[in-house]
Structures are given as structure tokens and as C-alpha cells.
Amino acid sequence: MTSQAQATPQTTDSTPSAAPVGGAPVDALLERLAALPSLMVAFSGGADSAFLLAAAVRALGPERVEAATAVSPSLPRIELERAREFAAGLGVAHHAPATDELAREGYRANAGDRCFFCKTELMSVVAPLAAERGIAAVATGTNADDLRAGFRPGIRAAANAGALTPLADAGLSKSEIRAASQAWGLPTWDKPAAACLASRIAYGVEVTAGGLERVADAEEALRRALARASIPVRNLRVRDMGGDTAKVEIDAELVAAVAGRPEVLAAVEGFAEVRLDEQGFRSGAMNELLPNPERYR
């Protein structure tokens, strides 16, 4: 298994003339980034923001690029350490400022626009940090697919705060980002989506620190149980549906195997009822339950 340190030689070529991989969209991305004096990437640790961070280093050099990973109860515990390791491998300064989404009533209320309040909080912390550090711009890992999806209140909040979206502006889709990441030797090229823990809580159910911790603990326990059962899961979510009920989503091809192993689901503690979603994992599953998603676009 390739470590972050081993991958570094492939990911830290910071000269603008480094041969780009991925064709015109990647060329366009590097050109856009090279025109910036300096950049701070709002770095979640996911495949998109990781690729953006690596591209910024190629275009600008590590001395003109910094990364900021917001730390709050909504960040899965393991993601911060992974983000730190990745940034260190690229040779860029990494910051872990605390954000307080739970202080925002709109976030706690958890309506369809929860992400708007989350991203507003993020930018209220990262933008001043960038200014303090003398960094000219802040960018998020929003990609072209995110814009086409339509339901993205957080994108609107980031735009309101002046954040750049270089990946989307260059027309880079998720699949193109993964392909280019693989070609560059980035260990995040096939990393599963790791949305914030609040995305596990059904709209209308109040988001609390305790609730976020409960779903985090449930997912960790379920992953351990799946490993013991030799079921190689890739995508997994434990959704808090309210009423002390949890819904488990896993890769669709694994649903039958898990359904036949009741002791696996029994590992999910903290809920009175745990049920398996027969459709399997799908990104944005909670949005399917919104009665009127158009109002939040």
C-alpha cells in the first residue's frame, strides 16, 4: 500500500511547466491557478479538494499555497489526520481552525438549507485566516458535477463569501478529477465520498453534538463488524432518521450479504431500531425525503 510519503515525489512537482494530465480541463485549471498570487484551499480531505490542492502546488509552488481543514463535531475523526498527512506530503502549510456550526440556529434546525449555514460558518473562519496569512484568495473543491446537480445550498453560501471554484470553472467533472488524480499518483484518487456527519441526520431532526457523535460511533462500530465478517465495504452511512431509528446504507452489491448476517447490523448501537436500506448507498439520499427541494436551490 502506497503511503503519503511515498506518493510525494509524484505530487509535489510545483513548476507551472509540469506536464499536465487530463487534457484541456486540467490545462485550464492550472492556467487559472497560475494567475493567482496565492491560494488557500478549504480542504476537506476529499478527492476534489485534494486534487485542487495538488494542482495549486503544481501551478504556484508550495510556498504560495496553504490548506485549511475546519474542525468541528461534524468532521469525521479520522479525516483531520488524513488531511494533515496529505498536505504535509505536498509541502504546504496546513491549518485546522475550529468552526462552530452548532452556534448557528439554521444549522441546528437542519432544514434543507443546512449546508448554507455550514458553509457560511466555514467561510467566516477561513476567509479571515487567509487574510491574516496574506493569502490572496480562498477556493473550495466544488466541481462541475456539483453545479449541475442543482441542490447545493453550500455552494451559494461560499459564492456569497467570495470563494473561488477553480475545478468547476475549468469544467472538471468528478470522474475527470479521479482520473487525473490517479495519473498524478494521488492516494485520494479513489477515496470514497466522506460527507460531513450532519449529512447523516434526517432533515427536520435537530443537529446536536451528541447526535453527531452517535452516528460517528455507529459507523465506526459497523465498519469493524463488517471487517470481522469479511465483507469489504467501500461506501457506508448510518443515517439518523429520527424517532431513535437508524438506516444503514452500504454498497448496493453488499446489501444481500449484510441482510444475511444480522449480527453485523447488531453492532450499530445507540438506536432503538436499525434497518438496512435495500437500495444501497447513494450520495444525497437524504435529499430524496425533502417534500419541496426546489425552495432550497
Side-chain angles (χ1 to χ4, degrees):
M1 180 173 170
T2 303
S3 69
Q4 289 280 4
Q6 291 170 324
T8 298
Q10 292 178 275
T11 62
T12 56
D13 184 350
S14 60
T15 61
S17 60
V21 179
V26 174
D27 288 349
L29 172 66
L30 294 175
E31 184 178 349
R32 288 171 183 273
L33 293 172
L36 299 172
S38 54
L39 182 68
M40 180 171 285
V41 175
F43 181 41
S44 69
D48 297 331
S49 58
F51 178 69
L52 175 59
L53 188 61
V57 168
R58 286 179 175 245
L60 295 168
E63 69 283 352
R64 291 199 285 158
V65 179
E66 299 190 6
T69 303
V71 179
S72 76
S74 68
L75 179 72
R77 288 181 279 264
I78 196 171
E79 293 302 319
L80 177 59
E81 187 56 37
R82 288 174 175 169
R84 280 177 173 152
E85 290 176 359
F86 186 89
L90 293 173
V92 304
H94 180 261
H95 309 278
T99 55
D100 190 8
E101 296 92 341
L102 289 168
R104 295 182 179 267
E105 182 179 353
Y107 179 85
R108 296 193 310 274
N110 197 21
D113 56 353
R114 181 197 66 243
C115 291
F116 178 88
F117 299 98
C118 178
K119 197 69 76 175
T120 298
E121 173 67 14
L122 171 69
M123 292 302 300
S124 76
V125 171
V126 174
L129 174 62
E132 177 185 323
R133 299 282 299 174
I135 303 297
V138 174
T140 69
T142 299
N143 65 46
D145 290 337
D146 293 331
L147 297 186
R148 286 190 285 268
F151 186 80
R152 290 290 191 274
I155 293 176
R156 178 163 49 91
N160 290 348
L164 306 180
T165 54
L167 300 178
D169 295 344
L172 279 157
S173 67
K174 187 76 167 186
S175 62
E176 290 172 321
I177 289 166
R178 290 195 183 279
S181 295
Q182 183 179 24
W184 285 0
L186 302 182
T188 51
W189 76 270
D190 65 343
K191 183 178 180 179
C196 78
L197 292 173
S199 69
R200 275 73 153 172
I201 300 177
Y203 293 119
V205 176
E206 183 182 9
V207 178
T208 65
L212 294 170
E213 184 176 8
R214 179 165 72 159
V215 293
D217 290 345
E219 287 191 2
E220 289 181 10
L222 182 54
R223 284 193 181 277
R224 290 193 297 268
L226 288 163
R228 290 193 298 269
S230 298
I231 299 176
V233 68
R234 174 176 170 81
N235 293 292
L236 180 156
R237 297 285 188 273
V238 175
R239 311 278 196 189
D240 181 349
M241 306 306 294
D244 213 21
T245 298
K247 181 179 70 172
V248 170
E249 292 178 17
I250 57 170
D251 303 294
E253 65 272 19
L254 300 178
V255 169
V258 173
R261 300 288 297 273
E263 74 278 10
V264 172
L265 289 182
V268 179
E269 298 180 348
F271 294 89
E273 179 185 357
V274 179
R275 53 188 175 86
L276 182 64
D277 189 320
E278 295 181 355
Q279 295 183 67
F281 169 81
R282 56 217 179 273
S283 182
M286 289 302 201
N287 297 340
E288 299 169 5
L289 304 178
L290 282 171
N292 183 18
E294 289 296 329
R295 64 178 293 198
Y296 301 113
R297 293 188 188 277

